[in-house]
Structure formats: structure tokens, C-alpha cells
Amino acid sequence: MTTISLAFSLALGLITVLAFLGLPMGLAMICGSVLYLLMRGQDPGIVAEQFLNGMYSNYIMLAVPLFILAAEIMNSGTLSDRLLKWCDALVGRFRGGLAQVNVLQSIVFAGMSGSAVADAAGSGKMMQHMMTQNDKYTPSYAAALTAVTAVIGPIIPPSIPMVLYALVADTSIGYLFLGGVVPGLLMAGFMMVQIAITARVRDFPVEEPVPLRKLPRMTWEALPVLFMPIVLMYGIYGGITTPTEAAAVAAAYALLVSAVVYRAVKAPDLYQSVLTSAKTTASIGMLIAGALVFNYVVTVENIPRTISAILISWDLNPITFLIIVNIILLILGCVLEGTTILLVIVPVLIPTAQALGIDMVHFGVVAVVNIMLGLITPPYGLLLFIMTRISGSPMKHIIGDVMPFLWTLIGALILFTFVPETVLWLPKLFGYVPGGAGL
């Protein structure tokens, strides 16, 4: 069995030290990879070669900046405000209604942005104000709920993490998007049930109901926002656009609705959206570039095959392997950034999953759900930090309110793991054959 070389051990150590010192993970992986290449006597120019091959020859990579731009344009306009008012009119009348609004708006917003961070940042401030006004909910509960509901964003299509998984696993983006629909809705349903129970136990307030006669008008005003997920999904699954082209349509549609229909985006707002999108894309791009180079090192070192041989020698069945993967990814999610896990750790596990006959769409959705749970898992949870900054509530209080939801979502993850049909049922309706070619 292959052993890990000294060069790889030193490269891994350098990456760990540089990351601990605060260097961005992408740059840390590039530095570690260059050290490995020098120690093995290989041309450091391989780094540039991997950049070019991975970043510029892969068409699906264009979807990432376009979905980010679409989310930024929506956040700069009044789309989030109109969406929240419509959700409040539907479910705000029930006990704990504002908490239910938080979940419902995340379901709709998930069909537009593909990013948990965009979801939390887009509606986070507004939901925090609505829920804490007149002391209806504690700041920590409002912040925790916004963080938890934002997790739905990358599960329901479109999804930036699924685009990245498709990159490393060579899997159909279209069927991955379909595979996330039922799990995302189930996660939202579990949260809404939990809120309904908690609302009675903690005596959450009941909002003044919006008269039903106003609902048609509010629906009409929100219709352009609600129509966006339909445009995207019809474009992809109607054969009109590829998923990457659908990302361009999303950005164009968001601009059209915000600037022309609602007249809520001016030139300075658009400039700021493009600037913010460029910065975010550059950050993600550097991380992807570093991962591509380091994945080359991992492949040269034969790490995936070695790990695959070890795991297969344990005579694992698919369910046992998936349980181990869930445990590994949940633990790593406590300390590592999700994109790093998706681009560096998941590719190492893919060969074993394939050898055990696990469907790549099922495996991808399970992996993405794990990684999204890492966003609300202490101590690293990125969404926890975002909502701490937005709410001003102490982190420990937010974590206390997040934990009951986290256990519920882990229960949902177990369901998706043990019952693959929760993921594969919808893709099969659209012609997916497990293990076959995709959209």
C-alpha cells in the first residue's frame, strides 16, 4: 500500500501553518503545492498549467460569478422587501408567524440566489428588525433562525456548491439541482414543524393578520420575484438553456426586475453590486485555483486510490460508508470553510463512493447538505458570525438557539442518507438513470 511521502507531509504541514497564521486557504494551498513540486523535482510551472486547465477550460465555472451577481442585484433592490411582505401575508397570521415567514422567504429566495451567505445577508437585517421589534422574539432566536433557514439556499436550486461539486465529480448539474429540491423542502418542512411546536411552548406572538382581500394585490406586486425560480427551472429542464446560461438569465432577470419593473436600482447601486460580486468571485476563484493545484498534488501522491483501497479493505457497504462520510464532513465542518471541504476533501472520497456503487447525484446532495450544516456548526460556522454581526447578540446565545434546529437538520440528513429516493425521485421523473449520462 502506498505511503505518504515526506514531500507531501511537509506540503500539508505548510498549508496548515499558513492557514493558521491567517493566509487565505487558496494561497496556502498554492504555497504548499509549490513546495511539493520543488521537493519532487517537478516544474513549478505545473501550477499555472493547472490554473489554466481548471479555471478557463471548464464552462460551468461561469455559473458561479453570475449567480453571485444575481443575488447582489436582488439584495440592492426591493425584491427582498416585497418577498417578505408576501410571505407575511401568507403565514404571518399563525402563532409564531414571523418565524414561519423566515422559513418561507428562504425557500423562495433559495430559488434565486444559490448562496446561503447571500440569503442571510439579503434578508437578515430585515428579518432581524421585524422579529425583534417590540420584543416579539429575542435577538438571539431571530438571528439563529435566520442563520438556520439560510442553509436551505444552496440545497434548493440553483446552488453554487452543487456547481462546484459537479466540477470535481464530473456529474450533471441539472440532475444535481433536481436532486436538491425534495431534501430542501423537507428541511424547511421539519423547521416549520419545530417552530410550530416551539411557538406553543414559548408562547410566541401572533401577528395581526393581513386581510385576505389584500393578498391578490400583494401577490401581483411580488409576482416578478416569485416568477424568477420558474424562469430558471423552465430554462434548464425545458432544454432552452444550460445551467450556466441559466445563471446569466438569472443575473439579467434580476437586473430587469429591479431596475425596470420596480425602478429600485440606480447606476451607483448596480456598480456596487458588480464590485461586490467581483470581490466575492475573486475570493472563491482563488480558493478554487488553489484547490485545483493541490488536487493535482493529491492525485500524483495517489491519495484517493490509497484511501479507497483502505476503506474497501474494511469491507464497507454503501450505507456504512455514507455514515462515515457524514461523520467526517460534520466534524470537518466545525473547523474548515465549506468550499475547502467541497474542493479538497470530497474529491478524495469520490473514488470509494463510485467503487461501492453509490450514485453520484445522491452522494453530491448528501455532501452538500453536510457542508451547509457546517455553516451553522460552532466554532467556525460562517453564518453564525454573520448573524452575530447583524444582530449584535452574543455568539453563545445564538449558538444556544441554533442547536435544537441543528439536531433537527441532522435528523433530516440521516433520512437523505438512508433513503436515496428522497434525492433521486425527482431526477428520475425527468429521465435520470443512476450512473448514466446527464443534462
Side-chain angles (χ1 to χ4, degrees), residues 8 79 227 259 286 322 332 370 379:
F8 184 78
L79 277 71
F227 199 58
M286 182 58 70
L322 286 173
L332 290 176
N370 269 287

PDB file of all heavy atoms in Angstrom, residues 8 79 227 259 286 322 332 370 379:
ATOM      1  N   PHE A   8       4.947  15.348   0.580  1.00  0.00           N
ATOM      2  CA  PHE A   8       3.522  15.627   0.786  1.00  0.00           C
ATOM      3  C   PHE A   8       3.264  16.008   2.243  1.00  0.00           C
ATOM      4  O   PHE A   8       2.470  16.922   2.513  1.00  0.00           O
ATOM      5  CB  PHE A   8       2.695  14.403   0.411  1.00  0.00           C
ATOM      6  CG  PHE A   8       1.201  14.637   0.506  1.00  0.00           C
ATOM      7  CD1 PHE A   8       0.528  15.333  -0.482  1.00  0.00           C
ATOM      8  CD2 PHE A   8       0.483  14.182   1.606  1.00  0.00           C
ATOM      9  CE1 PHE A   8      -0.833  15.563  -0.393  1.00  0.00           C
ATOM     10  CE2 PHE A   8      -0.880  14.403   1.698  1.00  0.00           C
ATOM     11  CZ  PHE A   8      -1.536  15.100   0.695  1.00  0.00           C
ATOM     12  N   LEU A  79     -36.467  43.689  -3.873  1.00  0.00           N
ATOM     13  CA  LEU A  79     -37.022  42.352  -4.076  1.00  0.00           C
ATOM     14  C   LEU A  79     -37.224  41.632  -2.749  1.00  0.00           C
ATOM     15  O   LEU A  79     -38.259  40.995  -2.524  1.00  0.00           O
ATOM     16  CB  LEU A  79     -36.111  41.527  -4.999  1.00  0.00           C
ATOM     17  CG  LEU A  79     -36.304  41.738  -6.507  1.00  0.00           C
ATOM     18  CD1 LEU A  79     -35.791  43.110  -6.922  1.00  0.00           C
ATOM     19  CD2 LEU A  79     -35.577  40.660  -7.301  1.00  0.00           C
ATOM     20  N   PHE A 227     -41.633  34.747  -9.902  1.00  0.00           N
ATOM     21  CA  PHE A 227     -41.543  34.144 -11.227  1.00  0.00           C
ATOM     22  C   PHE A 227     -40.103  33.740 -11.577  1.00  0.00           C
ATOM     23  O   PHE A 227     -39.896  32.906 -12.460  1.00  0.00           O
ATOM     24  CB  PHE A 227     -42.067  35.140 -12.277  1.00  0.00           C
ATOM     25  CG  PHE A 227     -42.445  34.506 -13.578  1.00  0.00           C
ATOM     26  CD1 PHE A 227     -43.397  33.498 -13.622  1.00  0.00           C
ATOM     27  CD2 PHE A 227     -41.854  34.900 -14.772  1.00  0.00           C
ATOM     28  CE1 PHE A 227     -43.755  32.902 -14.822  1.00  0.00           C
ATOM     29  CE2 PHE A 227     -42.202  34.320 -15.980  1.00  0.00           C
ATOM     30  CZ  PHE A 227     -43.150  33.312 -16.000  1.00  0.00           C
ATOM     31  N   ALA A 259     -34.423  47.068 -11.894  1.00  0.00           N
ATOM     32  CA  ALA A 259     -34.211  48.385 -12.499  1.00  0.00           C
ATOM     33  C   ALA A 259     -35.393  48.879 -13.313  1.00  0.00           C
ATOM     34  O   ALA A 259     -35.695  50.080 -13.315  1.00  0.00           O
ATOM     35  CB  ALA A 259     -32.964  48.346 -13.391  1.00  0.00           C
ATOM     36  N   MET A 286      -9.869  32.226  -6.257  1.00  0.00           N
ATOM     37  CA  MET A 286      -8.547  31.907  -5.714  1.00  0.00           C
ATOM     38  C   MET A 286      -8.590  30.597  -4.931  1.00  0.00           C
ATOM     39  O   MET A 286      -7.657  29.785  -4.998  1.00  0.00           O
ATOM     40  CB  MET A 286      -8.076  33.052  -4.821  1.00  0.00           C
ATOM     41  CG  MET A 286      -6.679  32.837  -4.238  1.00  0.00           C
ATOM     42  SD  MET A 286      -5.418  32.592  -5.502  1.00  0.00           S
ATOM     43  CE  MET A 286      -5.344  34.240  -6.214  1.00  0.00           C
ATOM     44  N   LEU A 322     -21.422   5.835   3.827  1.00  0.00           N
ATOM     45  CA  LEU A 322     -22.070   7.142   3.886  1.00  0.00           C
ATOM     46  C   LEU A 322     -22.152   7.665   5.319  1.00  0.00           C
ATOM     47  O   LEU A 322     -22.021   8.871   5.558  1.00  0.00           O
ATOM     48  CB  LEU A 322     -23.467   7.064   3.272  1.00  0.00           C
ATOM     49  CG  LEU A 322     -23.517   6.953   1.746  1.00  0.00           C
ATOM     50  CD1 LEU A 322     -24.948   6.716   1.269  1.00  0.00           C
ATOM     51  CD2 LEU A 322     -22.959   8.216   1.093  1.00  0.00           C
ATOM     52  N   LEU A 332     -15.394  18.005  10.164  1.00  0.00           N
ATOM     53  CA  LEU A 332     -14.578  18.982   9.433  1.00  0.00           C
ATOM     54  C   LEU A 332     -15.301  20.317   9.298  1.00  0.00           C
ATOM     55  O   LEU A 332     -14.673  21.380   9.287  1.00  0.00           O
ATOM     56  CB  LEU A 332     -14.214  18.439   8.049  1.00  0.00           C
ATOM     57  CG  LEU A 332     -13.221  17.284   8.008  1.00  0.00           C
ATOM     58  CD1 LEU A 332     -13.022  16.790   6.581  1.00  0.00           C
ATOM     59  CD2 LEU A 332     -11.880  17.696   8.602  1.00  0.00           C
ATOM     60  N   ASN A 370     -24.257  18.214   4.206  1.00  0.00           N
ATOM     61  CA  ASN A 370     -23.262  18.193   5.283  1.00  0.00           C
ATOM     62  C   ASN A 370     -22.505  19.504   5.365  1.00  0.00           C
ATOM     63  O   ASN A 370     -22.317  20.082   6.451  1.00  0.00           O
ATOM     64  CB  ASN A 370     -22.270  17.050   5.048  1.00  0.00           C
ATOM     65  CG  ASN A 370     -22.679  15.759   5.715  1.00  0.00           C
ATOM     66  OD1 ASN A 370     -22.599  15.628   6.927  1.00  0.00           O
ATOM     67  ND2 ASN A 370     -23.129  14.801   4.922  1.00  0.00           N
ATOM     68  N   PRO A 379     -17.228  25.737  16.166  1.00  0.00           N
ATOM     69  CA  PRO A 379     -16.970  27.167  16.423  1.00  0.00           C
ATOM     70  C   PRO A 379     -16.823  28.019  15.173  1.00  0.00           C
ATOM     71  O   PRO A 379     -16.815  29.239  15.259  1.00  0.00           O
ATOM     72  CB  PRO A 379     -15.636  27.122  17.173  1.00  0.00           C
ATOM     73  CG  PRO A 379     -14.930  25.952  16.575  1.00  0.00           C
ATOM     74  CD  PRO A 379     -16.004  24.924  16.269  1.00  0.00           C
TER      75      PRO A 379
END
